[in-house]
Amino acid sequence: MSSRLLINRDYGRFWLSQVLTSVASKSMTMVFPLLATLSFAASPFEVGVVAAAQYVPVLVVTLFVGVWLDRRPRRPTLLFTDVAGGVALLVVPVLSGLDAFRLGVLYAVAFGFGSLVAIAEVCAQAYLPSLVPESDLVAAIGRLEAVFTLVVVAAPGLGGLLMNWLGGSGAVLTGAVLYLIAALVLMTVTRREPPVAVPQTRERVAGEIAAGARFLLSVPLLRTLIGQAALFNFFEQAMLTLYTVYAASAVGITPALLGLTVTLGAIGSMLGAVAAAQAERRWGLRRVVVAGMAIASVAPVLIPLAADPSALTVTVWSVSFVLYGFGLTVYNVFSTSTRQRLTPDRLRGRVAATTRLVAYGPLSAGTLLGGTLGSLFGTRTGLWIAVALLAASFLHFVVAIRRTTIPDMTTTGLMADHGHRRGGVEA
């Protein structure tokens, strides 16, 4: 395995472009709800709709994108989504300058931008294996996933900071610029993708989609990991939606402090990325993923304990997000690298698409759940319910992982299992 940090020049460029788009897209998960809250005095339910609009496209476009990507090169599609994402975000500052920005426009921008993000995330996962040799694949995935998880934790907080420093239009404009820079970086990748093996006789689209789903469901470990991801994301999104409203409206802390509490979770993500490999070798995959999920699921219980705009409140929330980031990174590194190594290239687009659908499909429902809980019970009580449900979801994972056979997670063991699965799946 290569000791170089970014493995090769083209992977490094791809990695940088992914960091830029991830920072921009995940920042918008905080910026869009804050825009609704602060610019339009939106209700908790309306804030939930804005947040949900970013995730609904996962249910609409993801599976079809997987089939599309398994038939043709992935890099052109990724370039398109970068450019189009930047243009979509530019709509907000342009219409704001014309005094034509409305809540309905925010719904539309969130949905359109979310569609591009859904396509890009599937495309990036399918494109990555063409940039590195097989021996470096786990390292490449681990480094990208560690940064991705760090961004998931830190970037929403950055969005709050940008709102405080630049205002809503300035924050969204920053995201647009990052997207366009990412497109320029990706254009410098020189490595050609290998020819796409398109079957001489094609199944119908539904049949091709089903092939990816069948493979994912046929591997017990992948089935368990993806099932827990779906459950966790559902309750996590309800919690995060209510946290934004609770912190900004009920408690009354500034967007900058709100962003700071979430951004500090990046410390936990970095620690989780460093600790993951050593922990797995020492304690084994089962114990590590259980511990990671336990920490990520239980840490948010600290959030509704604090209810006043004080330094203690900011400290408690920051500690919660540090622990949350640590656990989530540990879990995600092993979940993603395991799936990539077990999936044959001819199915990577469809398996990535199915994974995104199952794992991220519940996000939109989770935002609506959060908004509904806040409207029915108030933001703090609703937040208590959401974090309690998130903690309880961990119990399901404990039962499921105990019943799941864990293969040898050394490189040799993974490759042996990979070869076995490759022979038993119909494309």
Side-chain angles (χ1 to χ4, degrees):
M1 182 174 293
S2 173
S3 61
R4 290 167 293 172
L5 178 61
L6 292 179
I7 302 175
N8 63 55
R9 185 172 297 178
D10 283 329
Y11 171 77
R13 292 166 177 170
F14 166 77
W15 180 90
L16 178 57
S17 71
Q18 286 297 291
V19 170
L20 292 171
T21 56
S22 294
V23 168
S25 64
K26 303 310 174 187
S27 295
M28 293 307 108
T29 64
M30 177 71 76
V31 170
F32 287 165
L34 278 176
L35 271 174
T37 301
L38 301 178
S39 299
F40 302 108
S43 68
F45 182 78
E46 288 172 326
V47 173
V49 172
V50 171
Q54 299 176 77
Y55 301 117
V56 166
V58 172
L59 302 173
V60 179
V61 304
T62 300
L63 293 179
F64 299 99
V65 170
V67 174
W68 168 274
L69 292 173
D70 280 339
R71 292 176 175 175
R72 53 190 43 81
R74 287 92 186 227
R75 181 170 172 267
T77 302
L78 201 55
L79 275 170
F80 168 78
T81 58
D82 287 352
V83 175
V87 172
L89 291 179
L90 284 174
V91 170
V92 173
V94 169
L95 291 184
S96 294
L98 297 173
D99 197 26
F101 187 48
R102 303 290 184 269
L103 184 59
V105 173
L106 183 59
Y107 290 152
V109 170
F111 179 82
F113 181 67
S115 298
L116 293 167
V117 171
I119 295 169
E121 288 180 343
V122 173
C123 188
Q125 290 204 7
Y127 179 48
L128 170 59
S130 69
L131 295 175
V132 297
E134 180 75 21
S135 60
D136 283 325
L137 184 57
V138 170
I141 294 168
R143 289 163 191 173
L144 189 63
E145 187 62 34
V147 173
F148 176 77
T149 305
L150 186 153
V151 168
V152 166
V153 174
L158 175 62
L161 294 173
L162 290 173
M163 284 281 292
N164 195 76
W165 297 334
L166 306 174
S169 294
V172 178
L173 178 61
T174 301
V177 171
L178 290 177
Y179 257 81
L180 297 177
I181 293 174
L184 293 175
V185 172
L186 189 61
M187 288 176 66
T188 65
V189 173
T190 58
R191 184 182 295 249
R192 292 191 175 186
E193 294 180 65
V196 178
V198 180
Q200 301 247 337
T201 58
R202 294 182 179 177
E203 298 181 59
R204 293 184 176 182
V205 171
E208 295 194 49
I209 290 173
R214 280 198 305 270
F215 174 83
L216 188 63
L217 295 175
S218 72
V219 183
L221 178 57
L222 299 185
R223 187 170 62 241
T224 298
L225 294 175
I226 195 63
Q228 177 59 22
L231 192 61
F232 178 89
N233 287 342
F234 177 60
F235 294 123
E236 175 213 37
Q237 199 59 42
M239 178 272 294
L240 291 175
T241 298
L242 280 171
Y243 173 66
T244 301
V245 181
Y246 176 65
S249 297
V251 177
I253 69 170
T254 65
L257 282 178
L258 189 156
L260 179 64
T261 61
V262 181
T263 300
L264 287 175
I267 297 173
S269 294
M270 289 186 286
L271 294 174
V274 171
Q278 294 180 350
E280 191 272 338
R281 286 193 297 268
R282 184 170 181 178
W283 291 299
L285 177 70
R286 192 191 309 270
R287 290 179 180 176
V288 171
V289 296
V290 168
M293 182 53 63
I295 295 169
S297 300
V298 175
V301 171
L302 295 173
I303 294 173
L305 289 175
D308 59 278
S310 65
L312 178 61
T313 292
V314 173
T315 301
V316 170
W317 289 351
S318 298
V319 169
S320 175
F321 279 104
V322 168
L323 294 172
Y324 159 86
F326 178 87
L328 196 59
T329 299
V330 170
Y331 184 86
N332 281 345
V333 166
F334 289 111
S335 179
T336 302
S337 60
T338 298
R339 188 186 74 250
Q340 287 279 39
R341 291 301 299 273
L342 293 175
T343 304
D345 183 68
R346 69 185 186 278
L347 288 173
R348 278 201 172 107
R350 281 168 282 176
V351 169
T354 303
T355 299
R356 292 286 170 181
L357 176 66
V358 175
Y360 295 136
L363 291 177
S364 56
T367 60
L368 294 176
L369 172 64
T372 301
L373 289 174
S375 296
L376 292 177
F377 304 106
T379 53
R380 191 179 189 190
T381 301
L383 186 57
W384 268 117
I385 295 172
V387 298
L389 291 172
L390 180 63
S393 71
F394 168 68
L395 300 177
H396 166 268
F397 181 60
V398 172
V399 173
I401 198 71
R402 283 182 176 176
R403 296 176 178 174
T404 302
T405 301
I406 307 293
D408 178 9
M409 297 307 291
T410 62
T411 301
T412 302
L414 275 172
M415 291 302 294
D417 193 66
H418 184 192
H420 171 72
R421 297 295 177 188
R422 195 183 282 241
V425 176
E426 296 181 1

